[in-house]
Amino acid sequence: MVIVIAVEMLFVISVIYFLIGMKKSSQHEIIEVVIAKAWQNRFAKIDLIEKCTSYIRRNEKYHIYSEKKLEKKKKADKKQIDAYAANEEKYLEAKRIGLVDLIPLFGYNFCSVLGLDAESDLLRNLMISCEQSGYVELERGQETNGKKNSVIYSYYILASVISYVYMGVMAGLFLFLLMLFLGKEFGVSLAVALVVVAVMAIVGYLPMDALKNKALNRKEEIDRDFPNVVSKLVLLTISGMNVSNAISQTAQSGDGLIYRELAMVVKESGQSVSLEGALTHLQSRCDNKYLDKLVTLISKSFSSGNANLAEDLRGLNEECWLEKKHSARRMADKVQTKLFIPTMLMFVGILVVIIIPVMSGFNLGI
């Protein structure tokens, strides 16, 4: 009985605190939530477009789908892309705001209570993931409360996680009490409550996990192709081509992620952004230590009149390929370690298959 009363009090206090946290929300926070929801639909649209482009290219090369199945898949994806675009417009025009969309507002208040700001490691790492996710919108400035786009979106993602976990705790307490009142056992009631908390926590964490995975996948793809890019830049600069043209030619020589990023550098530098500024933007979008060295070398060459740039790039090229060899070796070691257990299990299975008949024959002989 004491436990039930304590849980009841805890549930009432948690609900009151949640409502107070929601009530404390400022207008700027509401605007940021609406903008973040619009971005979320935009990014889902971008991801789906990239996915469509990828399977269309694979189908052209390997003929995975029949024409009928491919058209059906493209139409279904086109319908979903249009839906994401429509939702984005509705959020930006404040025509699609529901109570569920405002759930993260509690998390904003909780972040301020915990003292989580842009200087905290958690939010800083999340902002880096935002900027390296490939969503260019998150890299540029936004006039909402003077914050960068990556700050706005990372706050929204973290606030969503906190809010959903807190709501999961409230829902878990409520179900725990309800099941006890219905005569269920304490252990069963507690298990149901914990499952609800876990489910809500997973729902809140999924956007953060997707963002981090996208940034990680981009890093792996860039690391894989970057040595080839540097090699091409070395050849072009040695032949006497200037840096701008060398980057432009290299961008057109492939269709991988790093080549598309270089094409964006060329596009930006052809507009109102200098080449150095465009390369700085590239650094914020891509996580690669050799890319940072490349940008430093190119920036240095502008101040020194391209002196020794080709030699510096050649040295960087050697470093990149050496690192790629080490990475391949480390990957091979990981695969070998992962294969050790299945190999041992197969070996034991083979021994069992051989030894049991032999032992059976030996016993029969006796």
Side-chain angles (χ1 to χ4, degrees):
M1 188 65 182
V2 175
I3 295 176
V4 174
I5 294 173
V7 172
E8 285 179 350
M9 292 179 62
L10 188 61
F11 173 69
V12 172
I13 292 171
S14 64
V15 171
I16 293 173
Y17 185 72
F18 181 81
L19 294 175
I20 291 173
M22 293 287 287
K23 194 174 186 313
K24 285 184 177 180
S25 303
S26 66
Q27 186 178 0
H28 285 300
E29 289 171 346
I30 295 173
I31 292 172
E32 288 179 14
V33 167
V34 174
I35 290 174
K37 286 296 296 183
W39 283 343
Q40 213 166 41
N41 280 275
R42 185 184 306 173
F43 302 152
K45 178 185 69 176
I46 293 171
D47 285 341
L48 189 52
I49 290 172
E50 289 178 355
K51 182 181 176 182
C52 292
T53 305
S54 177
Y55 72 67
I56 289 172
R57 285 178 178 172
R58 287 203 314 272
N59 191 69
E60 289 175 353
K61 187 180 291 186
Y62 303 111
H63 304 287
I64 302 170
Y65 306 106
S66 64
E67 286 189 21
K68 187 176 180 181
K69 189 173 182 180
L70 180 63
E71 286 300 319
K72 185 177 179 181
K73 189 173 178 62
K74 284 164 67 176
K75 283 182 180 178
D77 288 338
K78 177 68 166 57
K79 185 178 179 181
Q80 186 61 59
I81 289 168
D82 292 340
Y84 284 136
N87 286 337
E88 178 192 349
E89 290 300 320
K90 288 178 181 178
Y91 278 114
L92 290 176
E93 295 172 1
K95 293 180 179 178
R96 190 187 178 98
I97 306 295
L99 289 175
V100 176
D101 298 326
L102 299 177
I103 288 175
L105 289 174
F106 170 79
Y108 281 83
N109 179 65
F110 205 85
C111 283
S112 64
V113 171
L114 295 177
L116 292 175
D117 53 21
E119 299 300 320
S120 63
D121 291 337
L122 179 61
L123 266 167
R124 191 185 301 115
N125 292 333
L126 192 53
M127 285 188 312
I128 291 172
S129 295
C130 284
E131 292 173 355
Q132 295 171 354
S133 64
Y135 301 134
V136 181
E137 290 84 355
L138 294 179
E139 179 197 336
R140 296 173 180 161
Q142 176 71 33
E143 296 303 324
T144 305
N145 206 21
K147 293 180 181 177
K148 286 177 62 179
N149 290 359
S150 56
V151 177
I152 293 172
Y153 199 65
S154 58
Y155 262 101
Y156 169 78
I157 293 292
L158 182 60
S160 296
V161 175
I162 293 172
S163 297
Y164 274 95
V165 170
Y166 193 89
M167 286 190 65
V169 172
M170 289 195 303
L173 291 172
F174 175 76
L175 284 175
F176 178 75
L177 291 171
L178 180 62
M179 294 191 73
L180 285 180
F181 288 142
L182 292 176
K184 303 295 181 180
E185 295 182 0
F186 180 88
V188 175
S189 303
L190 182 61
V192 171
L194 292 175
V195 167
V196 170
V197 175
V199 169
M200 292 293 287
I202 291 171
V203 170
Y205 181 72
L206 283 176
M208 180 186 288
D209 184 63
L211 191 70
K212 289 184 175 181
N213 283 337
K214 187 169 178 63
L216 181 61
N217 292 336
R218 280 172 53 86
K219 174 177 170 50
E220 291 175 352
E221 187 173 350
I222 289 169
D223 290 346
R224 187 168 57 248
D225 292 339
F226 193 72
N228 295 320
V229 168
V230 179
S231 296
K232 292 175 183 179
L233 287 173
V234 169
L235 290 174
L236 292 172
T237 52
I238 288 176
S239 66
M241 189 177 291
N242 64 44
V243 179
S244 300
N245 290 335
I247 292 174
S248 180
Q249 290 292 326
T250 303
Q252 298 173 24
S253 64
D255 58 356
L257 175 59
I258 186 61
Y259 296 99
R260 296 197 299 271
E261 289 291 340
L262 287 175
M264 189 173 294
V265 169
V266 174
K267 182 180 177 181
E268 287 185 351
S269 61
Q271 297 172 349
S272 58
V273 182
S274 65
L275 179 59
E276 291 178 88
L279 288 171
T280 303
H281 293 165
L282 176 66
Q283 275 184 287
S284 67
R285 293 194 303 269
C286 305
D287 180 18
N288 184 282
K289 62 181 180 180
Y290 296 109
L291 174 62
D292 296 337
K293 290 184 178 181
L294 175 64
V295 174
T296 302
L297 290 176
I298 293 175
S299 300
K300 181 182 174 183
S301 72
F302 279 109
S303 60
S304 60
N306 285 352
N308 301 323
L309 177 61
E311 290 301 320
D312 291 339
L313 289 177
R314 183 179 291 176
L316 178 61
N317 184 47
E318 292 174 359
E319 285 186 49
C320 289
W321 282 105
L322 186 61
E323 176 62 25
K324 188 168 184 176
K325 289 178 183 177
H326 290 327
S327 297
R329 192 175 292 113
R330 287 193 295 268
M331 186 66 68
D333 291 340
K334 286 182 181 179
V335 171
Q336 190 174 5
T337 303
K338 289 180 180 178
L339 289 175
F340 177 75
I341 295 176
T343 303
M344 291 302 298
L345 291 175
M346 290 175 63
F347 179 69
V348 171
I350 292 170
L351 286 179
V352 170
V353 170
I354 294 173
I355 291 174
I356 288 180
V358 171
M359 294 298 295
S360 299
F362 180 74
N363 290 334
L364 288 173
I366 291 176

